[in-house]
């Protein structure tokens, strides 16, 4: 009996050693990847070895990230681990909750009060440097704030609505806060957020557009004035990639195409590329299909419309704005779009040179609370 037990243990040890050896060989033979389609992010490359990096510990930390990112069959192992966790009843992975009805819901970022005040101080300084421009701030609540009933029972998330109210209270009175929380909450039974992605849908963006028009004194386009086209029903977004949760239903992605087709030009300034469409349809063939809107994120975009007025708009934004901007081309002669994560010029000087009358600062709440680039608005 003991003989067979020892033989079994040796066989298992041999199989384990063989498995580890095969994985190690495959890992050495595999070509490093620069981008993960599954996770929709850049992967860590082999760090440069230097005495300074080695002594500081930076090389060791970077090498660990490199090995993790380049591990052979990484996507398979991530999915397998999440599947096992799901079978065990775990409904959270990498800051993403598996909610009811197939919703993947990102956790709420709770900002440090000092950091939040610094961001608002930067906005106020920019306001003082551009006194002739009307300013509007729209911070969009994420799905976690609107769909608390879809979260797992044990999920503990921050009170995003309370943080948004703080921002509204701390903003200078001459900067108008566009509160879209009530409008979005009233429409929460409609598909206003993707289930597998952290963005709002085009429907959600349209609802916010209506509120923006009310605050800016614009006459909005009615929904009947658009041809609503479903361009894909196989969209697996950022939360699907980040969490590793599989076996969930894909999202549909719709475009609101105005029936009254106006001519306009879109210039991606840094890339020196001009097009006649706000939509990069080729992105629908790739993993990040949300990049169909404005071809993703860019430092600066200039949109010239056929609107006969001389009203110009500056949009300082994150990617939430990409699906809302197409609704605005009817109302302005020019729209300048700036993403502070990539823009490094003097924005106040640019505004004054261009004679821009209106500014919309549009971020989703999590990005605004987490991303420090908003402080660059005064640089």
């Amino acid at each position: 009996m003991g003989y067979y037990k020892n033989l079994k243990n040796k066989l298992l040890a041999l199989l384990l050693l063989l498995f580890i050896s095969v994985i190690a060989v495959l890992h050495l033979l595999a070509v490093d990847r620069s981008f993960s389609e599954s996770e929709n992010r850049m992967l860590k490359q082999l760090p440069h070895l230097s005495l300074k990096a080695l002594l500081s510990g930076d090389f060791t930390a970077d090498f660990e990230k490199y090995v993790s990112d380049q591990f052979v069959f990484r996507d398979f192992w991530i999915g397998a681990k999440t599947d096992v966790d799901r079978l065990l009843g775990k409904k959270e992975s990498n800051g993403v909750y598996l909610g009811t009805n197939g919703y993947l819901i990102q956790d709420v970022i709770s900002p440090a009060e000092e950091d939040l005040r610094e961001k608002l101080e930067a906005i106020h300084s920019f306001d003082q440097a551009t006194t002739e421009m009307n300013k509007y701030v729209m911070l969009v609540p994420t799905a976690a704030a609107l769909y608390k009933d879809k979260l797992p029972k044990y999920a503990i998330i921050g009170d995003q609505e309370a943080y948004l109210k703080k921002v509204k209270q701390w903003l200078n009175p001459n900067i108008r806060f566009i509160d879209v929380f009530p409008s979005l909450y009233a429409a929460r039974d409609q598909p206003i957020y993707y289930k597998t992605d952290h963005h709002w849908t085009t429907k959600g963006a349209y609802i916010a557009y209506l509120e923006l028009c009310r605050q800016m004194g614009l006459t909005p386009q009615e929904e009947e004035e658009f041809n609503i086209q479903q361009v894909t029903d196989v969209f697996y977004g950022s939360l699907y990639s980040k969490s590793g949760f599989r076996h969930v239903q894909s999202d549909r992605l719709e475009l609101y195409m105005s029936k009254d087709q106006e001519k306009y030009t879109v210039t991606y300034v840094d890339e020196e590329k001009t097009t006649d469409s706000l939509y990069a349809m080729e992105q629908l063939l790739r993993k990040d299909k949300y990049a169909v809107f404005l071809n993703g994120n860019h430092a600066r975009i200039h949109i010239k419309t056929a609107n006969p007025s001389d009203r110009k708009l500056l949009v300082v934004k994150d990617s939430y704005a990409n699906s809302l901007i197409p609704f605005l081309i009817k109302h302005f002669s020019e729209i300048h779009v700036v993403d502070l994560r990539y823009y490094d010029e003097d924005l106040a000087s640019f505004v004054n040179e261009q004679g821009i009358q209106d500014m919309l600062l549009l971020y989703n709440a999590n990005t605004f609370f987490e991303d420090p680039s908003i402080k660059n608005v005064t640089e």
Side-chain angles (χ1 to χ4, degrees):
M1 189 74 176
Y3 170 78
Y4 290 108
K5 184 177 180 180
N6 289 334
L7 182 63
K8 179 181 178 182
N9 290 338
K10 289 180 180 179
L11 182 60
L12 289 174
L14 182 62
L15 289 174
L16 179 61
L17 180 61
L18 179 63
F19 174 77
I20 293 173
S21 300
V22 170
I23 292 295
V25 171
L26 290 175
H27 181 69
L28 291 173
L29 294 176
V31 177
D32 286 354
R33 297 184 300 160
S34 60
F35 183 79
S36 169
E37 285 284 344
S38 170
E39 298 178 74
N40 192 30
R41 69 176 181 88
M42 302 301 294
L43 297 175
K44 186 71 176 179
Q45 301 301 295
L46 181 65
H48 175 70
L49 177 60
S50 68
L51 182 60
K52 181 180 178 181
L54 192 61
L55 293 176
S56 66
D58 290 343
F59 177 81
T60 303
D62 289 343
F63 189 76
E64 287 179 359
K65 293 177 183 177
Y66 162 73
V67 172
S68 175
D69 275 9
Q70 300 298 339
F71 196 82
V72 67
F73 305 136
R74 172 183 170 83
D75 295 340
F76 169 79
W77 299 120
I78 289 174
K81 177 186 180 301
T82 309
D83 284 345
V84 172
D85 287 345
R86 191 170 176 179
L87 288 172
L88 295 174
K90 184 179 179 182
K91 294 188 176 182
E92 185 276 333
S93 175
N94 204 17
V96 178
Y97 292 101
L98 177 62
T100 58
N101 299 328
Y103 271 91
L104 300 181
I105 302 176
Q106 187 176 18
D107 200 357
V108 166
I109 301 298
S110 298
E113 187 166 307
E114 181 181 353
D115 182 66
L116 189 56
R117 286 190 180 278
E118 288 176 358
K119 290 175 179 175
L120 294 177
E121 286 173 6
I123 295 172
H124 292 156
S125 296
F126 180 75
D127 179 45
Q128 293 171 6
T130 54
T131 55
E132 300 300 317
M133 187 169 58
N134 304 313
K135 299 175 185 70
Y136 306 85
V137 171
M138 181 189 294
L139 301 184
V140 184
T142 61
L146 297 172
Y147 294 141
K148 292 181 180 179
D149 59 321
K150 297 185 185 299
L151 288 163
K153 291 181 179 180
Y154 64 83
I156 300 175
I157 63 169
D159 190 344
Q160 194 174 86
E161 188 178 10
Y163 293 126
L164 293 177
K165 287 180 179 178
K166 278 189 177 182
V167 173
K168 183 178 181 180
Q169 292 169 358
W170 291 347
L171 273 177
N172 286 345
N174 58 301
I175 302 175
R176 183 169 296 180
F177 185 86
I178 310 296
D179 187 0
V180 294
F181 196 104
S183 299
L184 290 172
Y185 191 85
R188 62 193 299 276
D189 291 333
Q190 302 180 52
I192 57 174
Y193 288 88
Y194 297 111
K195 290 185 174 183
T196 69
D197 192 76
H198 72 284
H199 293 101
W200 55 10
T201 64
T202 323
K203 175 71 175 181
Y206 176 75
I207 291 170
Y209 156 74
L210 296 178
E211 182 62 25
L212 179 64
C213 286
R214 191 178 72 83
Q215 297 285 346
M216 296 185 75
L218 304 173
T219 302
Q221 287 182 278
E222 299 295 332
E223 206 163 14
E224 293 74 20
E225 298 178 55
F226 296 95
N227 286 318
I228 302 176
Q229 300 179 8
Q230 177 182 304
V231 291
T232 182
D233 62 355
V234 190
F235 174 35
Y236 291 98
S238 59
L239 301 183
Y240 176 88
S241 303
K242 181 180 181 180
S243 68
F245 283 121
R246 302 296 182 255
H247 316 298
V248 294
Q249 186 177 359
S250 61
D251 281 301
R252 297 181 300 173
L253 195 150
E254 296 178 335
L255 304 181
Y256 279 47
M257 311 294 284
S258 179
K259 294 178 181 178
D260 180 19
Q261 297 182 0
E262 298 185 15
K263 292 184 178 180
Y264 54 86
T265 58
V266 181
T267 301
Y268 299 96
V269 178
D270 287 357
E271 296 85 348
E272 298 182 348
K273 174 185 175 182
T274 299
T275 178
D276 61 356
S277 177
L278 291 161
Y279 305 105
M281 304 303 284
E282 68 273 11
Q283 295 289 356
L284 296 172
L285 302 175
R286 300 172 183 168
K287 171 66 173 62
D288 184 16
K289 291 177 172 54
Y290 187 81
V292 69
F293 299 105
L294 288 179
N295 200 22
N297 297 312
H298 303 265
R300 183 159 72 90
I301 302 172
H302 176 232
I303 304 170
K304 177 66 177 176
T305 78
N307 189 298
S309 74
D310 193 34
R311 192 169 183 180
K312 301 177 183 180
L313 174 69
L314 169 67
V315 180
V316 177
K317 59 87 184 182
D318 69 0
S319 55
Y320 260 54
N322 295 358
S323 56
L324 185 142
I325 287 171
F327 295 117
L328 301 176
I329 61 170
K330 179 182 179 181
H331 305 288
F332 298 91
S333 62
E334 294 182 43
I335 302 175
H336 297 272
V337 183
V338 169
D339 193 322
L340 293 173
R341 293 170 292 185
Y342 315 106
Y343 186 81
D344 57 5
E345 298 180 26
D346 187 333
L347 189 58
S349 296
F350 175 77
V351 165
N352 293 325
E353 289 168 4
Q354 295 293 324
I356 300 173
Q357 301 96 333
D358 299 289
M359 168 186 170
L360 170 65
L361 189 146
L362 196 165
Y363 283 76
N364 83 74
N366 267 0
T367 301
F368 184 80
F369 295 149
E370 184 179 36
D371 190 352
S373 68
I374 187 63
K375 299 174 186 178
N376 300 335
V377 72
T378 55
E379 296 181 0

